[in-house]
Amino acid sequence: MRFGHFDDEAREYVITTPHTPYPWINYLGSQEFFSLISHQAGGYSFYRDARMRRLTRYRYNNVPTDTGGRYLYVNDGGDVWTPSYLPVKAELDHFETRHGLGYTRITGERRGVRVETLYFVPNGENAEIQRITVTNTSDAAKTLTLFTFVEFALWNALDDQTNYQRNLSVGEVEVEMDSPYGSAIYHKTEYRERRNHYAVHAVNVRAAGYDTDREAFTGEFNGLYDPQVPLSGVSGNSIAYGWYPMGSLSVPVELAPGESRVITVVLGYLENPDEEKWADDAHQIINKEPAHELLGKFATTEQVDAAFADLGASWTELLSRYTVTSTDPKLDRMVNIWNQYQCMVTFNMSRSASYFETGIGRGMGFRDSTQDVLGFVHLVPERARERILDIAATQFPDGSAYHQYQPLTKRGNLEVGSGFNDDPLWLIAAVAAYLKETGDYSILDEQVAFDNDDALADTLFEHLTRSFQHTVTHKGPHGLPLIGRADWNDCLNLNCFSTTPGESFQTTENQGGGVAESVFIGTQFVLYGADYAAIAERHGLPDVAAAARTEIAAMKATVEDSGWDGKWFRRAYDFYGTPIGTDEDTEGKIFIEPQGVAVMAGIGVQSTDPTAPEFAASKAALALDSVGEMLGCEHGLVLVYPGYTTYRLNMGEITTYPPGYKENGGIFCHNNPWVIIGETVLGRGDRAFDYYKRITPAYREDISEVHKLEPYVYAQMIAGKQAARMGEAKNSFLTGTAAWTFVAASQYLLGVRPDYDGLVVDPQIGPEVPEFIVTRVVRGATYEITVHNSGTPGTRARLTVDGNSIEGRLVPYAAPGTTVRVDCTV
Ligand code: GLC
Ligand code: GLC
């Protein structure tokens, strides 16, 4: 069942009913000011840091879920309703929400009044704009009153939810009914002391009245669904003194039949220099100059429309670097629009603010952010460079890493500790992706601090060396890498042994033994070690490259030997040296993580031609066959099978989840692409594409009532085959799945990937997509690649470049400004 449809031309998802199975959200903003907005106008806004500079309030765990947002109440001769359906829930004659790239447009119509609101954050501005178009669709004159609504948060979102003894006394506002461009409400809590920032909520017309005290607006016993002021039709002109400051402005609107009127609402964030904080110091009247300047930029509809056009143009430019035109519209819309869009959202948000992440919990993850780079490096290479250097500067001198860092300060924090032994290797992955995309080797010579201490700075290349060496010097009894606190799987905590409720599985090591090993890190080391060696070579260090390759060969042999279980790769060895992820166990027999990455790294690969006799017996093919058989279900590949039914002290958090959920046998979408890529390595594009379709939202749109979350973005997890509600997704938007599925689809299924010395063209997508054209802009040149695809397993691409056939599948990089035509037959 669907709740809307894609509009590919407009690059929108169109939701046609308010009754989706969960709030379906979008993000506004891509620089410093951000908003979350659901299809019912729920959500909130913040400046740079969702925890420290929260502008508006949102209550997680609310009933119903999505209560709180920026709302517009319409009083039409006593009939009060909200065009976003929530919060009033009056039935609408027409409802539609269009989520687009950095904007959302919500339309509601009732009893001859249509209200369409376009929400967006203009490029370069710290403001959310609402362009509201009210139309009288009836044949009688209408006299309406509109009431805007926004509830302010007292800046620090954590404190805002916890410290009521103080906060209910500090709220302060100012009202400016005759502002130069209409009427405005200023939220200035704590501005009197150490803050130099405030928020403004304004309309571009002279309002009839205002409210700034939430209780006066709703009435003592009413809620947002039946607030007294809109019901009465007249603003209370209330001033907040503490309690709950909010902003509402009322605007009377008279409309002849067929007539429309456009009104603009602005929510802005402003700062003043310390010496210019006040317009009137004695009366503590704030300096509103920067707010007036902002409001002056959006005073007319023409100004608003120009800013909106500019936003669209910047997205068109961004998304032009990788496009595909194929016979499969679902594939095209994911690759061209939504998957890349989601990659940008992960770049902006990391894992901070979504409808599943509160914006107060996590800093940026070392491993998460480095992997995110893989998905956006082609979109914003300069910003990827900066991100890489910021992350590298939090690395410890011994190569290990803080697991998280704070985006505002760019410093590592120990909230989730350190000692996750996969972390260092992801830095190599990010730098390799950056070098392949840009060819900018100067990044390797950048001086980068260790532990944010400039006195310890060394080159970025030295950082990579310490990442590589960290694995070399931290091996266990089998010669496999020590796992430390955990590896990619945060919940595989082999040294924790926790019996205390609430104790952190990730930061507690109750039995430090230094023996628990990770096969996964072994595979990761072989994969990214090869990049380290390639980079060392290009950095003029052939001896370093050769020594690295010796280490890699040794690890490869170890994984094939101690890491092999008979039909798949094992997952780990625990504190006692007992294997995890083995057929000998009753549960947790096979894990997904090492299988895909091993094959990506070439471990156990004897042939890439499935018809060759040695193929079938290869460890790679056996492992991926086992994945398909044991981990596969219609909704994707589960992480582990069978999931654990009891708590295992020696394994930690993974066994705390009910079987079928999260790391304990959920479909953790992040690592499905590793198997997808592995299948393309083995020349089995048909299987790869099949797995891709199982988790990719556009292909799941028809089962939205099961999937529950947005059909345009990936979720972190889909409940697995042991779950009671198999197929139900959770944690949409902020997940490494975005980057990895984009890599899998663009670089391996469609097969166009930048390498160090040229663009590889090597599609493996099976027979369902017989013809397609990829346009790829890289290093300033444009490659137009036309693919004729038989989809026969094991067939590899043959290429002609500008009419000449070439050996192999590497198209050398062309001069910037040129267009290269590649013809590819598979
Ligand atoms: C979450 C974390 C990520 C981790 C994964 C598996 O997605 O953000 O760092 O790798 O869970 O535990
Ligand atoms: C990751 C996992 C989650 C776990 C958390 C611990 O986000 O997905 O299951 O609770 O890490 O930090």
Side-chain angles (χ1 to χ4, degrees), residues 194-458:
R194 290 156 299 176
R195 295 189 185 274
N196 66 345
H197 45 264
Y198 60 85
V200 63
H201 169 73
V203 292
N204 70 338
V205 293
R206 174 74 164 75
Y210 59 86
D211 275 285
T212 64
D213 180 80
R214 196 188 79 207
E215 203 163 277
F217 181 78
T218 56
E220 192 186 347
F221 299 110
N222 292 20
L224 295 181
Y225 52 92
D226 61 350
Q228 193 166 284
V229 159
L231 286 175
S232 73
V234 186
S235 290
N237 294 343
S238 58
I239 294 287
Y241 299 100
W243 297 109
Y244 309 101
M246 51 91 63
S248 173
L249 293 160
S250 57
V251 179
V253 177
E254 309 251 345
L255 292 173
E259 197 188 347
S260 284
R261 180 140 170 232
V262 181
I263 294 155
T264 302
V265 174
V266 176
L267 174 72
Y269 169 89
L270 295 314
E271 287 178 357
N272 274 323
D274 277 347
E275 51 303 348
E276 293 167 26
K277 274 181 81 165
W278 305 105
D280 175 350
D281 203 343
H283 296 93
Q284 300 271 289
I285 304 295
I286 62 176
N287 171 6
K288 304 184 181 64
E289 281 311 311
H292 292 162
E293 197 189 313
L294 169 72
L295 299 176
K297 292 184 193 169
F298 301 99
T300 68
T301 311
E302 292 69 33
Q303 287 171 306
V304 171
D305 289 349
F308 183 61
D310 187 52
L311 178 70
S314 59
W315 276 106
T316 301
E317 202 280 314
L318 264 191
L319 297 183
S320 65
R321 298 171 193 191
Y322 193 117
T323 54
V324 60
T325 311
S326 80
T327 45
D328 182 344
K330 293 176 183 160
L331 176 66
D332 291 6
R333 68 172 65 111
M334 287 312 304
V335 170
N336 295 337
I337 305 169
W338 295 102
N339 200 171
Q340 297 197 61
Y341 182 60
Q342 189 178 358
C343 287
M344 281 307 289
V345 173
T346 63
F347 167 64
N348 288 322
M349 295 290 127
S350 186
R351 305 294 174 269
S352 77
S354 75
Y355 267 31
F356 298 85
E357 303 271 10
T358 57
I360 59 180
R362 300 215 243 171
M364 289 173 79
F366 190 97
R367 124 175 16 110
D368 294 336
S369 298
T370 39
Q371 288 173 89
D372 288 346
V373 167
L374 310 184
F376 64 73
V377 64
H378 68 295
L379 295 169
V380 283
E382 326 72 38
R383 297 176 83 185
R385 187 182 208 274
E386 184 190 350
R387 180 65 56 85
I388 287 169
L389 295 174
D390 287 348
I391 298 172
T394 68
Q395 191 176 23
F396 287 111
D398 73 350
S400 65
Y402 288 98
H403 199 46
Q404 290 193 350
Y405 71 102
Q406 286 310 122
L408 262 190
T409 60
K410 299 184 171 182
R411 292 185 164 267
N413 75 49
L414 279 176
E415 262 172 49
V416 205
S418 161
F420 295 75
N421 284 347
D422 65 317
D423 271 336
L425 292 170
W426 295 117
L427 182 64
I428 302 178
V431 174
Y434 176 77
L435 293 175
K436 290 172 184 174
E437 180 71 34
T438 64
D440 168 25
Y441 286 89
S442 75
I443 194 174
L444 298 174
D445 297 319
E446 289 282 348
Q447 287 287 319
V448 185
F450 280 98
D451 197 4
N452 295 113
D453 182 349
D454 285 333
L456 302 174
D458 210 319

Side-chain angles (χ1 to χ4, degrees), residues 70 91 137 174 237 349 387 508 520 537 556 561 579 616 722 731 738 818:
R70 70 290 275 159
E91 278 314 312
T137 57
E174 283 183 37
N237 294 343
M349 295 290 127
R387 180 65 56 85
T508 312
F520 168 76
E537 212 153 53
K556 198 170 172 184
D561 176 15
Q722 287 170 282
N731 300 358
T818 49

Side-chain angles (χ1 to χ4, degrees), residues 357 362 416 490-491 506 653 657 662-663 668 716 731:
E357 303 271 10
R362 300 215 243 171
V416 205
D490 269 335
C491 300
Q506 279 79 36
E653 186 168 354
Y657 289 110
K662 294 281 283 182
E663 282 86 342
F668 219 94
Q716 180 206 57
N731 300 358

Side-chain angles (χ1 to χ4, degrees), residues 456-479:
L456 302 174
D458 210 319
T459 63
L460 181 67
F461 183 78
E462 178 61 22
H463 279 260
L464 300 187
T465 299
R466 299 208 198 159
S467 289
F468 183 83
Q469 288 300 329
H470 187 266
T471 305
V472 173
T473 54
H474 289 75
K475 291 185 193 164
H478 296 89

